[in-house]
Amino acid sequence: MSTPPPAPSSPSWPNCAHAADPATDPVGCRGIHVTGHTACLAHLADPDRDTYLAGLTPGADIDHRGTTFTENLLNRLLDAVRDPTTTHPRLGLADFGGAQFSSDAGFSGAQFSGLARFGRAQFSGEARFGRAQFSGAATFVETQFSDHTIFGGAQFSSDAGFSGAQFSGLARFGRAQFSGDALFARAQFSRYAWFDGAQFSGEARFSGAQFSERVWFDGAQFLVASWWGPVVCGGTVDLSGAVFGAPVTLEVAAKRVLCTRTRWQSTATVRVRHASVDLGHAVLEAPVAIIAHPTPFTTMARRIVNEGMLSGSGAVRVVSTQGVDAAHLVLTDTDLSDCLFSGAFHLDQLRLEGRTTLASTPTGWHRKGIAPVRWTRRRTLAEEHHWRAQTAGQPLIPASVPPEPRRWRSGPHHPDPAPTPDPDDVAPLYRQLRKAFEDGKNEPGAADFYYGECEMRRHDRTGTPKAERRLLWAYWLLSGYGLRAGRALGWLAAAMLTTIGLLMAFGLPMSSPKQEATGTVPTGGGTVTFIIDKQDTKNPTGNRFTSKRFDKALNVTLNSVVFRSSGQDLTTTGTYIEMTSRILEPALLALAVLAIRGRIKR
């Protein structure tokens, strides 16, 4: 047997009780009595209603809590307090707490001289407060807006409370001015919300606010906000062009956070979850930290914010720092795989903290012509991916498709080469970010960026001279720019084997030269003089590849690696072979040691 729903409780004011039924609805109409009557304005007899409305004057206090308003009844009430000078309704204290507006409610241009109370009111049609002026505090706590809500150009001279309000339709606050605190804690916006051009002179609190689709703060001004959020949005939080004039902490969980052209006039900490963050052309006048928050946010009341409309691990991707002065920017635990750095300033002063993720080169074996190739594993910039995808003629990969690990990532202008960065554009990015990694004592990360810089210079046919490119090709081929120990050791092994083979074939004589002594004995039996001479080495003949000759050749080669002379007797050709190996092989060994050091240094 199902339990019947609890009976509605009586309001705290004397209510009309119209159509009350002891069995089904013991409360009835919840509208407050009109002064001097026992019915609310909606159920007042017509003559009494006319008399009441005729007695109102502009600026009068009104109290219609719990009253049900049709569009016609509300218009008659507002006409009764309309100021003939301004032609706008002018009210003193206006209490519409718990009122129900069954159709459109037009308060556009209305002037509220005293408190304006709309807490727990229900608007079934459009709620229009465009250009309304609230001189006192305005309360819309837990108000339900079922259709479009318009506050564009409204002026709130004191505090404005929208905590717990529900906006089921479009919500427009464009160019609204909040001189006091603006409280949107736990407010729910089911569709688009516009705060573009709004000015918040006091605290702007959105703790626990939820935006199901997209919210615009384009051009909004937050002059004294110290804490903004946490905000949850199933779509995009657009802060483009917004101005933050005081130190602020923002907490946002969304799919996208747009901060293009946002101006940060003071320090800011932006904690983000799930989102891709676009900082393109943002103006940073003080240090700004973008931090990937590891756990769901909590409100000031220590309640965990519901992120059910978002999926995934909460990782944060920064997609652009173009046009940003990075000297004031700190990125912590962010994914920079698709981040565009071109056009940013002072990238060498960018601070990368925590775990920074960057795109890697394609995996697996590939064909370059008829030769199989495999890309060296390293961290790369998105700009290099875009250039290589464009030059390789790869097809465009839509942004909605996850990147393929075996391919380069295509850029936003793919395959047009004109707006795609060239190697001469990408090399300075690697150079500046390398310094940022070095300053952060991240030598392995700096090594990858040095590799990328050399790669771009090697392929740059406009800014790098031809002779320098050839040197870079040799440097790359021998040791991967001094960063690939395996390559240098491989070449060292090949050089040693070649040296051994050449010495066995041409460098070692067939046998060690014998010394001969010649002397002259005087006839009278005096002193004997011996002249010792060494025979010239003879070029080898016959079987040259024997174990004994290999042992001698190996001894000469190993001594050459450490830049020492073996002391072995060599042919003239062998002498030159040894000289060459004593120059080349120690250099290859040094490159291998340098590469190992670059990977383990901290």
Side-chain angles (χ1 to χ4, degrees):
M1 181 176 180
S2 60
T3 302
S9 60
S10 299
S12 59
W13 55 82
N15 63 301
C16 174
H18 179 77
D21 188 329
T24 60
D25 184 8
V27 176
C29 175
R30 304 174 66 85
I32 192 172
H33 294 170
V34 174
T35 303
H37 300 276
T38 59
C40 68
L41 183 61
H43 299 111
L44 201 61
D46 290 343
D48 294 333
R49 183 187 302 118
D50 294 340
T51 302
Y52 167 75
L53 294 175
L56 295 178
T57 58
D61 294 340
I62 58 174
D63 184 356
H64 293 294
R65 286 172 285 176
T67 303
T68 300
F69 284 92
T70 63
E71 184 175 9
N72 178 64
L73 179 59
L74 178 61
N75 289 339
R76 291 187 61 189
L77 174 64
L78 296 179
D79 286 340
V81 295
R82 193 175 300 275
D83 191 327
T85 304
T86 63
T87 70
H88 295 301
R90 181 162 59 88
L91 302 90
L93 186 151
D95 197 338
F96 290 93
Q100 297 187 10
F101 299 88
S102 59
S103 53
D104 294 349
F107 288 91
S108 298
Q111 300 177 0
F112 296 85
S113 303
L115 299 179
R117 297 171 179 165
F118 289 85
R120 295 185 176 86
Q122 297 183 7
F123 292 84
S124 300
E126 288 189 358
R128 297 189 292 267
F129 289 86
R131 302 182 309 281
Q133 298 182 14
F134 298 86
S135 300
T139 304
F140 291 85
V141 176
E142 298 183 8
T143 301
Q144 297 184 15
F145 299 92
S146 301
D147 205 334
H148 297 348
T149 307
I150 302 172
F151 281 87
Q155 297 183 10
F156 297 86
S157 300
S158 187
D159 294 347
F162 290 86
S163 299
Q166 297 184 8
F167 299 85
S168 300
L170 302 179
R172 300 179 182 270
F173 287 81
R175 303 192 180 280
Q177 296 185 16
F178 298 86
S179 299
D181 295 344
L183 310 178
F184 288 87
R186 305 183 312 282
Q188 297 183 11
F189 297 82
S190 300
R191 297 192 62 191
Y192 295 149
W194 282 267
F195 288 85
D196 51 306
Q199 179 173 322
F200 298 86
S201 300
E203 295 280 353
R205 300 178 183 174
F206 288 83
S207 178
Q210 295 189 1
F211 299 87
S212 298
E213 295 191 28
R214 180 166 181 164
V215 55
W216 283 266
F217 289 91
D218 189 359
Q221 297 184 31
F222 301 89
L223 303 182
V224 296
S226 60
W227 199 279
W228 198 92
V231 168
V232 178
C233 180
T236 301
V237 175
D238 193 341
L239 295 169
S240 301
V243 178
F244 291 88
V248 63
T249 298
L250 288 84
E251 294 184 340
V252 182
K255 290 183 179 179
R256 297 181 65 202
V257 177
L258 298 182
C259 297
T260 56
R261 305 183 314 281
T262 303
R263 179 180 292 274
W264 312 89
Q265 296 178 338
S266 188
T267 57
T269 300
V270 185
R271 299 191 181 107
V272 189
R273 286 181 52 77
H274 299 282
S276 62
V277 182
D278 190 341
L279 298 170
H281 304 282
V283 180
L284 279 57
E285 301 179 16
V288 174
I290 309 296
I291 302 173
H293 199 67
T295 58
F297 296 119
T298 57
T299 64
M300 292 183 178
R302 297 186 179 181
R303 289 188 299 227
I304 297 178
V305 175
N306 183 13
E307 298 180 357
M309 64 181 69
L310 299 168
S311 60
S313 62
V316 175
R317 299 166 51 247
V318 178
V319 298
S320 177
T321 62
Q322 293 180 300
V324 174
D325 186 345
H328 292 304
L329 183 59
V330 181
L331 303 178
T332 303
D333 294 330
T334 54
D335 185 345
L336 304 180
S337 299
D338 294 309
C339 185
L340 297 177
F341 291 98
S342 55
F345 307 99
H346 300 131
L347 279 175
D348 57 325
Q349 300 179 45
L350 172 67
R351 291 180 57 186
L352 300 173
E353 298 183 351
R355 185 172 181 176
T356 300
T357 305
L358 290 154
S360 181
T361 52
T363 59
W365 288 94
H366 306 267
R367 292 184 60 183
K368 191 172 183 180
I370 60 173
V373 296
R374 186 173 184 175
W375 295 102
T376 301
R377 298 292 293 169
R378 59 185 173 89
R379 286 174 283 190
T380 56
L381 296 182
E383 282 87 350
E384 180 180 353
H385 270 261
H386 301 166
W387 172 74
R388 289 191 183 272
Q390 189 267 324
T391 54
Q394 287 185 190
L396 175 66
I397 300 177
S400 58
V401 177
E404 299 181 25
R406 291 182 53 84
R407 305 176 103 180
W408 297 100
R409 304 184 184 199
S410 57
H413 305 288
H414 188 83
D416 187 359
T420 302
D422 289 329
D424 59 335
D425 301 316
V426 183
L429 302 180
Y430 273 119
R431 182 162 49 251
Q432 294 183 69
L433 287 171
R434 171 171 61 88
K435 185 177 183 300
F437 274 98
E438 290 173 345
D439 292 343
K441 306 302 179 183
N442 186 349
E443 295 295 337
D448 278 351
F449 277 42
Y450 176 71
Y451 194 105
E453 176 190 351
C454 291
E455 278 286 277
M456 295 298 97
R457 290 170 57 201
R458 180 165 67 94
H459 290 284
D460 178 15
R461 295 181 176 274
T462 58
T464 306
K466 188 174 183 180
E468 185 177 340
R469 291 203 311 273
R470 289 178 176 175
L471 288 174
L472 287 169
W473 273 97
Y475 195 22
W476 165 77
L477 185 63
L478 291 176
S479 64
Y481 310 113
L483 297 173
R484 299 296 179 258
R487 191 177 305 180
L489 291 173
W491 280 109
L492 176 60
M496 292 174 65
L497 291 174
T498 302
T499 300
I500 291 172
L502 291 175
L503 286 174
M504 292 176 66
F506 308 105
L508 297 176
M510 287 304 298
S511 61
S512 299
K514 303 295 190 296
Q515 293 182 339
E516 294 183 354
T518 60
T520 303
V521 179
T523 56
T527 304
V528 179
T529 303
F530 294 92
I531 301 175
I532 307 298
D533 195 9
K534 188 175 183 180
Q535 294 180 340
D536 292 336
T537 55
K538 296 180 180 180
N539 290 328
T541 58
N543 185 10
R544 308 177 188 184
F545 298 96
T546 64
S547 59
K548 184 176 181 181
R549 291 174 63 81
F550 174 80
D551 182 65
K552 291 183 178 181
L554 178 61
N555 182 271
V556 173
T557 303
L558 292 176
N559 278 277
S560 297
V561 172
V562 294
F563 213 74
R564 292 179 55 191
S565 176
S566 65
Q568 292 281 351
D569 292 319
L570 301 173
T571 65
T572 302
T573 303
T575 301
Y576 285 109
I577 293 172
E578 183 188 35
M579 291 172 58
T580 303
S581 66
R582 288 177 64 184
I583 295 173
L584 179 60
E585 291 166 9
L588 291 171
L589 179 61
L591 289 174
V593 172
L594 179 66
I596 294 173
R597 180 179 179 274
R599 283 297 171 183
I600 64 176
K601 180 182 177 182
R602 288 290 178 182

